[in-house]
Amino acid sequence: MTKNNPFCEITPELEHLSELSAKCSVIDPELYSKYDVKRGLRDINGKGVLVGLTEISDVCSTKIVDGVSHPADGELYYRGYNVKDIIAGIDENSHFGFEECTYLLLFGSLPTKDELKEFTNMLSKYRTLPTSFVRDIIMKAPSRDMMNTLARSVLTLYSYDDRADDISLPNVLRQCLQLISLFPLLSVYGYQAYKHYHDGASLFIHPPKEEYSTAENILHILRADSKFTPLEAKLLDTALILHMEHGGGNNSTFTTHLVSSSGTDTYSAIAASLGSLKGPKHGGANIKVVKMFDDMKKQVKDWSNEDEIADYLTKLLHKEAFDHAGLIYGMGHAVYTLSDPREVILKRFAKALAEEKGRMKEFALYELVESLAGKMIKEQRNLQKNVCANVDFYSGFVYSMLGIPQELFTPIFAIARMPGWSAHRLEELTNANKIIRPAYKYVGHHTEFETMEERSAEKITDEDVKEEPEKCKKEEKGKK
């Protein structure tokens, strides 16, 4: 398709211009050290530069002993509550944990029974797309990338909102609650449209059910028969909780703060956050994990053989297997070193679902890789700190067991993270009255302006001057 589509053709002219662009874009790496630039807004030890304050969540990976910071098992807190305790405290028969945590993140306290009922009713009421939106927007020119579809739909909703540019807190809250409610529909319907028009799959659009939770509705509208087990709904609800917030410094949430500080509308701010999350360095990592394991299953004959697994992992680190990137996907985190609390919790639920689905052999493979990979990375990379599995390690496996296609892995992340982005947008608008504007130091040079005639005239370079005497000698010799 690309070869025959002039819209996306890379011409020789573009190749030439891109070389010119690359040539003038290179910055000497030593200059970053010279001017003490914290690349990636992180110091030499990987610690994030402090750029803001928040009361929404806390990401902890160390403990202080005798005034000295030491690595510790990771902990994640939502509004002061340990996520581990939140999940343990939710009724085992309830699939509305995501809604409880959404209330907590937005309003600062856990809801009572009556408050939760009123809140879920409000979300259910907002879970309705504008008239003909599916036909006129989602079904038209469906994209192969569901994050693109989701962002486009969010930006289009601006046109349906009579108060789109009103950034008063009540109106922003209304917009955020609507988007929280609509994200599952926009994502799954976009996927159904793509599969129908591009792959010829049967098209079905199930309307959401008022009495269902977010997790239940996702499974309901995704599956042709709308059927799911309580464990499936519980596991998806838990996965959503674990992905809904992770501090203000992660790339997409910082994007929310950054763009919100300009005073722009909610739809534009959230579309920007979606653009950030779409990046493979941020929201698409679990897809890489699943594909890595698919390759591993083909290359390794005995999934229980520790030596065979270790040999494959060594090839990964030496850029001799899978995508030759030298990475074991799902391992390592910018903050957590000993353990990622989200991974610990999700692993427990993943095992329960693997038993229900008859996929314990695969779970055992994941578990074996997890036990080997961290040590191997630390030894072969000569690292001082430990390397643990992160939440992406098991999340893709969980989604695959739930029958969620890979195209929806990152949109599921977005559905989960929307309450977190909403809380941070509200926090930014409440507390900040300055646009976020960090500094970039100019390290180029100043030069005199040249007129068009001067720029177009033939240039005489130093090489030309050196070559001229030789040229004259040859010409004199020729005359003789």
Side-chain angles (χ1 to χ4, degrees):
M1 178 181 176
T2 302
K3 292 181 180 179
N4 301 323
N5 187 353
F7 181 78
C8 49
E9 181 184 0
I10 303 298
T11 64
E13 292 83 3
L14 280 173
E15 293 280 8
H16 171 67
L17 290 173
S18 69
E19 290 175 4
L20 295 180
S21 177
K23 186 177 180 180
C24 72
S25 298
V26 177
I27 295 176
D28 184 352
E30 293 184 2
L31 293 177
Y32 290 96
S33 299
K34 178 180 178 180
Y35 295 111
D36 193 27
V37 177
K38 306 296 189 297
R39 302 190 74 177
L41 292 182
R42 293 193 168 275
D43 64 20
I44 194 171
N45 297 314
K47 184 178 180 181
V49 174
L50 185 63
V51 297
L53 304 173
T54 184
E55 289 189 343
I56 297 169
S57 68
D58 191 14
V59 181
C60 305
S61 62
T62 59
K63 60 181 178 181
I64 305 299
V65 179
D66 297 328
V68 180
S69 178
H70 296 274
D73 285 322
E75 302 283 1
L76 176 60
Y77 295 83
Y78 291 170
R79 294 287 186 180
Y81 293 96
N82 195 314
V83 169
K84 177 174 58 180
D85 296 331
I86 292 174
I87 291 176
I90 295 172
D91 189 295
E92 63 180 51
N93 297 315
S94 170
H95 303 150
F96 285 87
F98 176 73
E99 285 75 8
E100 281 193 56
C101 287
T102 297
Y103 187 99
L104 171 65
L105 291 176
L106 292 176
F107 310 122
S109 62
L110 288 166
T112 64
K113 186 180 294 185
D114 289 340
E115 287 171 337
L116 180 60
K117 183 178 179 180
E118 183 180 343
F119 184 61
T120 54
N121 286 340
M122 182 182 294
L123 292 178
S124 180
K125 183 186 73 174
Y126 284 143
R127 200 173 285 129
T128 304
L129 285 165
T131 303
S132 302
F133 191 91
V134 174
R135 182 195 67 194
D136 296 340
I137 306 302
I138 295 178
M139 293 295 180
K140 299 292 176 66
S143 171
R144 67 181 180 275
D145 188 288
M146 296 309 109
M147 289 296 283
N148 172 275
T149 295
L150 184 54
R152 183 182 66 176
S153 295
V154 168
L155 287 171
T156 304
L157 284 171
Y158 175 99
S159 302
Y160 292 80
D161 188 344
D162 293 337
R163 303 183 64 179
D165 291 308
D166 178 1
I167 60 171
S168 65
L169 293 186
N171 191 59
V172 170
L173 177 60
R174 186 262 307 173
Q175 293 169 328
C176 288
L177 291 176
Q178 288 175 330
L179 290 176
I180 289 169
S181 299
L182 293 176
F183 261 35
L185 307 187
L186 298 174
S187 301
V188 177
Y189 291 170
Y191 171 74
Q192 307 289 24
Y194 172 75
K195 292 296 289 182
H196 175 66
Y197 287 109
H198 287 263
D199 296 348
S202 297
L203 178 65
F204 55 90
I205 302 292
H206 297 315
K209 291 191 175 184
E210 290 184 11
E211 68 274 18
Y212 276 1
S213 67
T214 299
E216 290 170 330
N217 263 313
I218 291 172
L219 296 173
H220 157 63
I221 64 177
L222 177 62
R223 298 179 174 182
D225 62 5
S226 295
K227 295 179 180 179
F228 53 86
T229 68
L231 179 57
E232 288 178 319
K234 184 67 176 178
L235 182 48
L236 182 55
D237 186 52
T238 301
L240 293 176
I241 294 172
L242 294 174
H243 286 83
M244 65 196 303
E245 166 59 9
H246 207 244
N250 69 78
N251 197 279
S252 59
T253 303
F254 182 63
T255 298
T256 305
H257 276 280
L258 182 69
V259 179
S260 292
S261 75
S262 74
T264 193
D265 65 278
T266 298
Y267 303 100
S268 296
I270 298 305
S273 302
L274 286 168
S276 165
L277 189 67
K278 178 185 175 182
K281 293 181 180 180
H282 188 9
N286 53 13
I287 298 176
K288 280 287 193 181
V289 175
V290 170
K291 290 182 176 179
M292 177 186 74
F293 270 93
D294 286 342
D295 183 71
M296 190 186 307
K297 292 170 192 173
K298 296 175 184 177
Q299 303 299 326
V300 176
K301 295 180 179 179
D302 184 357
W303 295 0
S304 62
N305 188 307
E306 189 171 311
D307 292 335
E308 274 197 76
I309 298 297
D311 182 57
Y312 179 84
L313 296 179
T314 298
K315 289 179 180 178
L316 283 177
L317 292 173
H318 292 174
K319 301 182 180 182
E320 297 171 354
F322 186 42
D323 62 357
H324 306 284
L327 300 172
I328 300 178
Y329 292 100
M331 298 300 301
H333 191 270
V335 179
Y336 303 120
T337 55
L338 297 187
S339 66
D340 180 337
R342 303 166 299 171
E343 183 269 347
V344 173
I345 296 169
L346 195 59
K347 178 182 178 180
R348 187 175 75 249
F349 283 92
K351 183 178 182 181
L353 187 61
E355 290 174 345
E356 182 180 279
K357 298 286 185 179
R359 295 177 66 173
M360 281 302 294
K361 184 180 178 181
E362 287 178 79
F363 178 81
L365 174 61
Y366 273 79
E367 204 167 32
L368 179 55
V369 171
E370 180 187 4
S371 69
L372 297 172
K375 298 173 186 176
M376 294 178 65
I377 294 171
K378 184 178 181 181
E379 291 173 1
Q380 297 194 32
R381 295 284 192 264
N382 294 317
L383 302 178
Q384 298 300 314
K385 65 178 185 178
N386 291 307
V387 178
C388 66
N390 59 51
V391 70
D392 295 315
F393 191 82
Y394 284 101
S395 63
F397 178 51
V398 166
Y399 295 156
S400 69
M401 288 193 290
L402 290 173
I404 296 172
Q406 289 185 14
E407 292 92 336
L408 286 175
F409 281 14
T410 311
I412 292 292
F413 194 161
I415 291 168
R417 189 54 63 90
M418 183 59 208
W421 291 339
S422 299
H424 282 277
R425 174 162 170 77
L426 290 163
E427 189 176 65
E428 180 66 34
L429 293 175
T430 300
N431 294 285
N433 56 8
K434 284 189 175 182
I435 187 171
I436 297 174
R437 190 190 183 285
Y440 267 69
K441 182 177 180 61
Y442 179 71
V443 291
H445 59 275
H446 296 173
T447 188
E448 293 293 326
F449 177 79
E450 292 180 315
T451 65
M452 179 62 73
E453 289 72 17
E454 291 171 329
R455 279 175 271 155
S456 303
E458 185 176 351
K459 303 289 184 181
I460 299 177
T461 66
D462 292 340
E463 291 297 321
D464 294 330
V465 174
K466 293 178 183 178
E467 293 174 1
E468 191 62 29
E470 293 297 324
K471 184 178 178 182
C472 291
K473 288 180 182 178
K474 290 179 181 179
E475 288 177 351
E476 287 296 322
K477 188 175 181 181
K479 292 178 181 178
K480 292 179 181 179

